[in-house]
Amino acid sequence: MRILWIKIGGLWPVDRGGRRRSFETVRALAERHAVTVATTHVAEDEVAGLRGALPGSEVLSWPWQIPKHGSAGFALALGRSWASELPVDIWRCVVPELRREVAERLRRGACDVCVVDFLAAAPNVSLRSAGPLVLFSHNVEHQIWRRLAKVETRLARRALLEVEWRKMRRYEDRVVGAVARTIAVSEADRAMLASRVPGASVCAVPTGVDLSYFRSEGASEAPGSIVFVGAMDWYPNEDAVLHFAAEILPRVQRAVPDATLTVVGRNPSARLRALGPAVRVTGTVDDVRPHLGAASVVVVPLRVGGGTRLKIFEALAMQKAVVSTAIGAEGLPLRTGEHFVCADEPAAFADAVVALLRDPGRRTALGVAGRGLVETRFGWAAVARAFERELEEVHHARSSLRNGIRR
């Protein structure tokens, strides 16, 4: 197949969950198909890095900085979005040069299937295109915005979020209804999207993990070490850490005084860096594995989110004990008490962390069970092959339809 893959915000470096999921899928597809990646970059070395990582593929990239909250570009996108049906988070991802290139390639039939990677890429593709479009839905996007509105305490901002999540839901429904197929990352997401758009073709392909990269190397755990891993410029991650530091960590420290939290992830805010001596904030690191290896407990205290969390699979692959909220583990086929511990309220979450800090045997049992689960079902090779089968089915259905019209 000739695959055109559209991704706003770049694929390199592979330093966050969404990029990891996309990159591993693209890399596997490129071993057997002709893949063209149409994306954006901030620095030129990102383009060189991606081309080096995908040597047999065509990489087209345009300089583009997605406007950040609080910037003049974001204010402009917000103003424009208010006069349109597009939510601001979609408006700010419109890249005119990329959109023109994609339109031209689809017009002349230069691809057999076009993958729209994340809903944010959708405004760069005409939904009336004659080419077969596949949406790769990493999250139910409107659900994230709805949850943001729910936890927001500032009235003006909550009012804005209430408008935005509804606009996002309408746009998401429109795209899911227009494409040939939507590939969700969990059965829960698939069911939600399918129920909202009757007649749409929606399937689920699970999240994967690099089993050879993320594995236990016998590193010694640091006593009392609690670790959170995630891109800290994504608001749900920042909210999770601030919530943990304020509501959960003090309860843990009353029972385990030497307990500390290490926050591993790029672009932490000043609020995160000011959390105090019991919270170590690393910022960007070249390799998260030493931090995971030293963890006694890995925490995922998310209150907002969607899709699935690669951070949990990576921790399980390294045989780590994980405590997560239900939202944090949402969409993953995990059983609480066997693969991880699920807790939502601050007191229950703190109790779960304390119990694991005090019980190395229990931590080991959870880690062994978690590693066994991801080894059996969630290596990237198997996940990418399932994704490939969905693309092939769309391509073959399209080819059959065109041949029938010719006859």
Side-chain angles (χ1 to χ4, degrees):
M1 287 183 294
R2 298 168 302 160
I3 301 169
L4 175 60
W5 190 285
I6 305 169
K7 171 71 167 65
I8 305 304
L11 280 173
W12 195 267
V14 187
D15 58 357
R16 64 201 77 166
R19 279 188 180 179
R20 172 66 63 186
R21 186 186 287 119
S22 297
F23 174 77
E24 295 291 352
T25 305
V26 169
R27 181 165 62 174
L29 290 171
E31 293 177 358
R32 292 180 292 278
H33 305 281
V35 176
T36 296
V37 176
T39 188
T40 61
H41 63 273
V42 176
E44 288 297 326
D45 61 352
E46 296 172 7
V47 186
L50 184 58
R51 286 176 175 150
L54 301 172
S57 299
E58 181 182 20
V59 174
L60 307 173
S61 189
W62 289 263
W64 183 263
Q65 177 73 61
I66 297 175
K68 295 183 178 181
H69 293 268
S71 68
F74 183 83
L76 179 61
L78 181 60
R80 289 176 173 174
S81 76
W82 276 97
S84 81
E85 64 179 8
L86 295 182
V88 63
D89 211 47
I90 300 299
W91 242 115
R92 67 191 184 127
C93 292
V94 176
V95 184
E97 296 87 350
L98 184 150
R99 180 181 170 87
R100 285 193 291 269
E101 178 66 24
V102 168
E104 173 59 22
R105 288 181 176 241
L106 291 175
R107 184 194 64 78
R108 54 188 171 84
C111 67
D112 297 313
V113 63
C114 174
V115 178
V116 179
D117 189 5
F118 281 91
L119 188 66
N124 296 286
V125 183
S126 171
L127 298 180
R128 296 186 294 275
S129 168
L133 305 179
V134 173
L135 172 65
F136 187 11
S137 174
H138 297 240
N139 311 288
V140 178
E141 297 292 346
H142 82 263
Q143 185 180 59
I144 297 176
W145 286 82
R146 187 174 190 173
R147 288 169 172 169
L148 283 170
K150 184 177 180 180
V151 302
E152 180 57 59
T153 57
R154 292 163 289 184
L155 293 181
R157 182 173 170 82
R158 176 181 286 183
L160 175 62
L161 289 170
E162 289 287 349
V163 173
E164 286 298 307
W165 81 254
R166 288 174 170 85
K167 291 180 74 171
M168 185 70 78
R169 183 175 63 182
R170 289 192 293 270
Y171 184 69
E172 193 166 38
D173 289 353
R174 178 185 163 207
V175 174
V176 171
V179 298
R181 182 157 302 175
T182 295
I183 300 177
V185 298
S186 73
E187 179 56 31
D189 282 9
R190 186 210 65 77
M192 178 175 289
L193 292 171
S195 69
R196 288 206 49 79
V197 190
S201 175
V202 187
C203 67
V205 172
T207 286
V209 64
D210 188 334
L211 296 170
S212 61
Y213 186 82
F214 289 99
R215 60 185 304 114
S216 174
E217 300 292 348
S220 298
E221 295 177 349
S225 174
I226 305 165
V227 172
F228 177 91
V229 176
M232 297 317 303
D233 53 2
W234 193 50
Y235 178 77
N237 284 340
E238 181 183 65
D239 174 76
V241 170
L242 293 172
H243 171 65
F244 186 89
E247 302 295 334
I248 300 172
L249 184 59
R251 299 171 191 259
V252 173
Q253 290 179 314
R254 284 197 287 271
V256 184
D258 64 345
T260 60
L261 173 66
T262 299
V263 180
V264 183
R266 61 186 174 84
N267 297 336
S269 66
R271 284 201 298 172
L272 290 173
R273 291 192 179 278
L275 282 176
V279 181
R280 177 189 173 213
V281 179
T282 69
T284 301
V285 298
D286 293 331
D287 190 346
V288 302
R289 291 174 298 175
H291 299 281
L292 284 173
S296 292
V297 177
V298 174
V299 293
V300 187
L302 287 178
R303 301 190 297 170
V304 177
T308 56
R309 255 58 62 194
L310 274 75
K311 60 174 70 74
I312 291 184
F313 272 3
E314 291 169 354
L316 295 182
M318 292 193 66
Q319 298 183 218
K320 288 296 157 179
V322 175
V323 180
S324 175
T325 58
I327 287 177
E330 190 173 51
L332 299 177
L334 307 178
R335 289 189 290 272
T336 186
E338 180 179 351
H339 305 116
F340 82 121
V341 178
C342 184
D344 283 313
E345 297 304 317
F349 202 110
D351 288 346
V353 172
V354 169
L356 287 172
L357 289 176
R358 289 174 168 172
D359 191 344
R362 180 68 178 138
R363 297 200 302 269
T364 298
L366 286 170
V368 169
R371 174 72 190 189
L373 175 71
V374 296
E375 277 186 340
T376 303
R377 298 173 55 187
F378 300 108
W380 275 120
V383 169
R385 180 63 187 126
F387 195 101
E388 180 183 41
R389 285 194 295 269
E390 298 297 335
L391 298 189
E392 288 172 339
E393 190 171 303
V394 169
H395 171 48
H396 292 153
R398 177 74 175 177
S399 298
S400 298
L401 177 62
R402 296 170 78 174
N403 291 335
I405 292 173
R406 290 194 189 103
R407 287 197 294 269

